[in-house]
Amino acid sequence: MAGLDLPRVPTCVEAAHSLWDYPDIPGSVICEHAVLIGSAGESLVDSLLLRHGLLPMHVPGNLASDRLVHTPGGLTRMQIKTCSLPRNGAYSFHVGKGYRGTPQGVRAYGADDFDVLALVCLADNAVFFTHELRPDFRIPVSAIPSLRAAPRASLEEALIGIGIDLTGDASDAAVPCAA
């Protein structure tokens, strides 16, 4: 833009070069760009939610959830975890908050930190939703075809698990819509 000098961001060029062949890249590159990989997982979840008429909203990074999702039952707090590649036939997720190497370290989530957990199997563009709070999850690669064939199924089950049933007659819901 004329009159506006934007700083060059070589990191973007480096990331594009490093990640261009994803998922066929070394684990060290995935670790180096973990924030971008996590953002890609969050974007995949956002896309799925939006395709089904649910509005995800970003929340500040210091909160226990990654999204607030507008549903007819109210706001749902969603935590998103991304695993970039399967190992030993499964995508493995450790569900904890915080970061290794920080004073607080990695800690367990509390029962009231979020309502729904989205587990992203990034290399296969698949998402599994659950309302269960467990420290570890494994999604076998053999489950990926069914997650892709019915991407909304686990979302429905997770929402029903927290008392939100979107499968009923929408005419009964008192949800204001913009004109």
Side-chain angles (χ1 to χ4, degrees):
M1 288 194 231
L4 181 61
D5 293 326
L6 296 175
R8 294 218 177 261
V9 187
T11 314
C12 293
V13 173
E14 176 198 328
H17 177 67
S18 298
L19 295 171
W20 193 253
D21 291 325
Y22 180 87
D24 301 316
I25 57 176
S28 60
V29 173
I30 291 172
C31 289
E32 181 181 343
H33 298 288
V35 172
L36 287 176
I37 297 292
S39 294
E42 291 176 353
S43 294
L44 184 61
V45 170
D46 289 345
S47 173
L48 197 148
L49 294 170
L50 289 167
R51 282 181 271 163
H52 296 293
L54 301 176
L55 179 63
M57 298 183 315
H58 293 250
V59 297
N62 62 333
L63 298 179
S65 60
D66 293 314
R67 298 289 186 274
L68 289 176
V69 182
H70 281 280
T71 70
L75 289 175
T76 299
R77 297 165 303 162
M78 186 173 289
Q79 176 56 236
I80 303 168
K81 296 295 180 187
T82 301
C83 181
S84 50
L85 297 169
R87 286 186 183 81
N88 300 320
Y91 286 88
S92 297
F93 298 86
H94 175 70
V95 182
K97 60 183 172 181
Y99 299 97
R100 287 177 292 204
T102 62
Q104 297 85 9
V106 178
R107 321 170 287 295
Y109 282 101
D112 198 41
D113 282 343
F114 58 86
D115 306 306
V116 172
L117 176 63
L119 301 171
V120 179
C121 305
L122 193 59
D124 283 299
N125 292 315
V127 181
F128 175 75
F129 295 91
T130 183
H131 68 281
E132 292 182 50
L133 177 58
R134 298 191 330 230
D136 295 294
F137 286 87
R138 282 180 48 85
I139 299 174
V141 172
S142 61
I144 298 300
S146 61
L147 289 174
R148 282 182 167 166
R152 195 183 69 207
S154 68
L155 176 59
E156 284 179 9
E157 288 180 30
L159 291 173
I160 289 169
I162 62 168
I164 300 172
D165 187 352
L166 301 178
T167 61
D169 182 4
S171 64
D172 292 339
V175 180
C177 293

